[in-house]
Amino acid sequence: MEQVRRSGERGHADHGWLDSYHSFSFADYHDPQHMGYGPLRVINEDRVQPGQGFGTHGHRDMEIISYVLEGALAHQDSMGTGSTIVPGDVQRMSAGNGVRHSEYNHDKSGVTHFLQIWIEPAVRGIPPSYEQKHFAAAEKRGRLRLIASPDGAEGSVRLHQDARVFAGLFDGAERATHELQRGRLGYVHVARGKVEVNGQKLAAGDALKTDAAQIRVEAGEQAEILLFDLPE
């Protein structure tokens, strides 16, 4: 099974201060055919205008990953965490039994472009927690770098779910493969540029769902991708 979802097929909301594309049903965008994929529940591509952001709001029982592509995102939460996320950073916040947080672009001129990803946890009601790590571009160049996993392998942030997230940068002849075990689901999201995945030509905002035994990434043109290895 392989299915391509084109960028223009996503849900879209333009709030002025926030321009957001939804890969799966979210807020006022509801599509019964795209409610999630395995435990992957949300991929929102957000652009936040200068001096704007998400005011304090709450979450429960969700693994929330923020992945900044351009600009910077300031984070404050009810656990006492205060940080700024920049390109190369991966932030994981486990909402657990309840957390409140805010996210802002404090730049006076530049737009913050980032992906917010929600993964449903395998356990509920745990204490909330926070983790943030940086992965240099060289670690992702021409390969799939593990950035999130259930056991924190290879220095990745730790998820409360049997899911693994990889990031990669591909250009020219650079290529990589990922072996998908039986009973697992693969999801590739193109954050920017162009790339071929299992022979499918994908551009920024496109995604590929697959359960193929091998995922092949090649023929990139300044591409940045996220690959999700998920339980069914």
Side-chain angles (χ1 to χ4, degrees):
M1 177 277 294
E2 290 197 340
Q3 179 184 355
V4 174
R5 182 96 187 280
R6 297 299 178 189
S7 175
E9 298 171 356
R10 297 177 296 173
H12 181 226
D14 188 347
H15 302 286
W17 66 273
L18 169 68
D19 190 30
S20 184
Y21 286 88
H22 311 315
S23 294
F24 304 105
S25 293
F26 185 85
D28 293 333
Y29 167 60
H30 180 76
D31 183 345
Q33 300 301 313
H34 298 283
M35 297 299 295
Y37 190 58
L40 178 59
R41 183 62 187 83
V42 168
I43 300 180
N44 287 350
E45 181 183 4
D46 291 342
R47 289 177 172 84
V48 181
Q49 293 298 308
Q52 301 292 324
F54 303 86
T56 302
H57 59 284
H59 295 284
R60 294 181 65 90
D61 292 322
M62 195 64 69
E63 301 290 283
I64 300 172
I65 299 171
S66 295
Y67 188 93
V68 174
L69 297 165
E70 296 179 49
L73 189 69
H75 167 95
Q76 296 279 341
D77 65 43
S78 55
M79 295 177 284
T81 308
S83 67
T84 299
I85 313 161
V86 298
D89 288 351
V90 176
Q91 178 207 68
R92 184 271 301 161
M93 185 176 71
S94 297
N97 58 21
V99 68
R100 295 178 63 78
H101 76 139
S102 63
E103 298 160 296
Y104 274 90
N105 172 15
H106 289 307
D107 196 302
K108 298 186 184 304
S109 58
V111 171
T112 294
H113 180 198
F114 77 108
L115 301 176
Q116 185 161 105
I117 299 154
W118 293 7
I119 295 175
E120 295 177 354
V123 292
R124 296 180 177 271
I126 61 175
S129 61
Y130 181 94
E131 192 176 10
Q132 181 176 334
K133 293 190 175 181
H134 184 81
F135 300 89
E139 298 181 62
K140 298 176 280 187
R141 171 56 58 197
R143 64 181 290 242
L144 294 165
R145 173 60 162 101
L146 184 66
I147 61 171
S149 68
D151 55 2
E154 300 177 26
S156 60
V157 300
R158 185 174 180 180
L159 298 173
H160 295 91
Q161 177 56 269
D162 182 20
R164 290 165 181 80
V165 187
F166 301 81
L169 301 171
F170 296 92
D171 196 43
E174 295 171 337
R175 60 180 60 196
T177 59
H178 177 73
E179 305 298 324
L180 199 63
Q181 299 300 313
R182 184 182 297 273
R184 304 284 293 183
L185 301 172
Y187 189 93
V188 178
H189 177 87
V190 182
R192 58 178 141 207
K194 297 179 180 179
V195 70
E196 286 188 22
V197 181
N198 286 4
Q200 301 280 359
K201 294 183 178 181
L202 305 176
D206 292 348
L208 176 71
K209 297 178 180 178
T210 183
D211 60 2
Q214 186 180 79
I215 301 175
R216 303 180 311 279
V217 182
E218 57 193 338
E221 297 179 34
Q222 298 183 339
E224 183 164 7
I225 71 166
L226 294 180
L227 185 153
F228 299 81
D229 185 326
L230 306 160
E232 291 182 338

